[in-house]
Amino acid sequence: MRVLAAVAALAAALLAACSSPPPRPPSAAQASAQAHHLTGARALRRGDLNGALAAYGDALAASDSVEDFEGSATALLNLALVHARLGQLDAAHARVDRILTAPQRYSDAQRGQAATRKAMLYLDAKSYGMALQWADQARAVCGDPCPLAATLANLRACVALDRGESERAIGQATRAADLAAALGQPAEHANALRLLGRASTRIGKTDEAAQALARALQLDRELGLPERISLDLMHAGENEERRAQPAAARDFYERALNVAQAAGLVPLVDALRGRVGRRD
């Protein structure tokens, strides 16, 4: 289960507007775009990907109609996320490419987020060299301090984990956890701890894994993120299996399944049913 692409996993990266003077009231088109973004976010949370795609498309049209480039960038990034979840990778790349190929319209922060999304798309496609290349590009444009630093360190940890380089994954995930804590990014902190737990399990450091996954679970509960809670519990079950504790593993899997079912997370439900031997 890909950590960084779940809603994570990044969830959709909504761009925050910097405002020194008081912000002006939104225009009618901007208000419409904001409403469509809320509709899309609700659809995404309940797993209605086609509904999210339509809502974010409407948000993009509203922002485009008044040349609100910040709103357009937000919509394009969210559309790329949904296309990726639908398996429409060419469409996802096309959305982020619109930001990356028009630097005169979009800020460094927006292009950094687009490059990060591009890296995640290549990660999902197991094109690890391209993923790392785009991670480098994202870091080059995101400024200093870079608000994407923890996300990019997590991406590198994910690449290392996929390649079987567990010690390297632990190093990157530890760095990501430290960066996320310093930047005040609890969701990214939880991602880092989850990766740290998975990598530690693989090399038999089960006590360290249990501690990291328990902390990730605590953060995700505080954030109220069902998909990530279910993942934390699932990976905790894997760690208990590595410890040869089948009863404890089953308990974690059952808890993960209960959360996934309650939240309507169909892919996770399907993955977890086999682990608990339940067919209800």
Side-chain angles (χ1 to χ4, degrees):
M1 196 65 62
R2 192 75 63 200
V3 174
L4 294 180
V7 125
L10 287 174
L14 297 180
L15 302 173
C18 297
S19 55
S20 297
R24 294 180 180 178
S27 67
Q30 289 172 319
S32 176
Q34 290 169 7
H36 289 308
H37 277 299
L38 290 173
T39 299
R42 286 193 291 266
L44 198 58
R45 280 196 296 271
R46 65 174 181 268
D48 179 8
L49 296 180
N50 289 320
L53 198 66
Y56 290 137
D58 289 340
L60 178 62
S63 294
D64 282 350
S65 72
V66 291
E67 283 204 320
D68 176 6
F69 294 127
E70 183 175 341
S72 294
T74 300
L76 289 165
L77 289 166
N78 285 331
L79 283 165
L81 174 69
V82 179
H83 282 304
R85 291 195 178 187
L86 287 166
Q88 300 167 354
L89 297 185
D90 287 345
H93 279 290
R95 298 294 190 180
V96 294
D97 285 345
R98 179 173 149 182
I99 300 172
L100 293 166
T101 57
Q104 70 279 14
R105 298 178 187 176
Y106 300 102
S107 69
D108 286 349
Q110 291 160 348
R111 289 187 295 118
Q113 293 219 22
T116 301
R117 178 59 58 195
K118 192 97 168 167
M120 291 176 180
L121 291 171
Y122 281 118
L123 174 63
D124 278 344
K126 300 187 183 301
S127 296
Y128 302 125
M130 291 297 292
L132 294 174
Q133 178 181 316
W134 279 100
D136 288 342
Q137 292 198 36
R139 181 62 187 88
V141 299
C142 78
D144 195 17
C146 175
L148 297 170
T151 301
L152 295 171
N154 271 333
L155 189 147
R156 293 179 184 281
C158 220
V159 169
L161 194 63
D162 273 12
R163 285 174 162 174
E165 301 168 353
S166 297
E167 293 287 0
R168 183 182 295 274
I170 287 172
Q172 288 290 344
T174 300
R175 180 170 180 267
D178 291 341
L179 287 166
L183 290 166
Q185 297 174 344
E188 211 59 67
H189 193 180
N191 280 342
L193 291 166
R194 191 179 313 109
L195 281 164
L196 181 59
R198 292 175 61 200
S200 297
T201 295
R202 285 194 182 181
I203 60 175
K205 294 183 176 180
T206 55
D207 289 343
E208 292 90 334
Q211 291 172 9
L213 291 167
R215 179 61 179 141
L217 178 60
Q218 179 184 354
L219 288 170
D220 286 331
R221 280 174 172 164
E222 291 170 0
L223 293 166
L225 299 173
E227 184 172 15
R228 297 184 182 191
I229 291 169
S230 186
L231 286 171
D232 296 333
L233 292 165
M234 182 179 76
H235 295 312
E238 292 168 349
N239 191 55
E240 292 302 325
E241 282 196 281
R242 183 63 187 264
R243 284 172 154 174
Q245 299 293 327
R250 181 183 175 87
D251 182 64
F252 276 121
Y253 290 146
E254 287 183 341
R255 289 167 59 191
L257 178 58
N258 289 339
V259 171
Q261 287 177 322
L265 304 171
V266 175
L268 268 175
V269 169
D270 292 342
L272 286 160
R273 274 182 170 153
R275 300 195 182 208
V276 300
R278 183 188 297 177
R279 300 190 177 275
D280 56 331

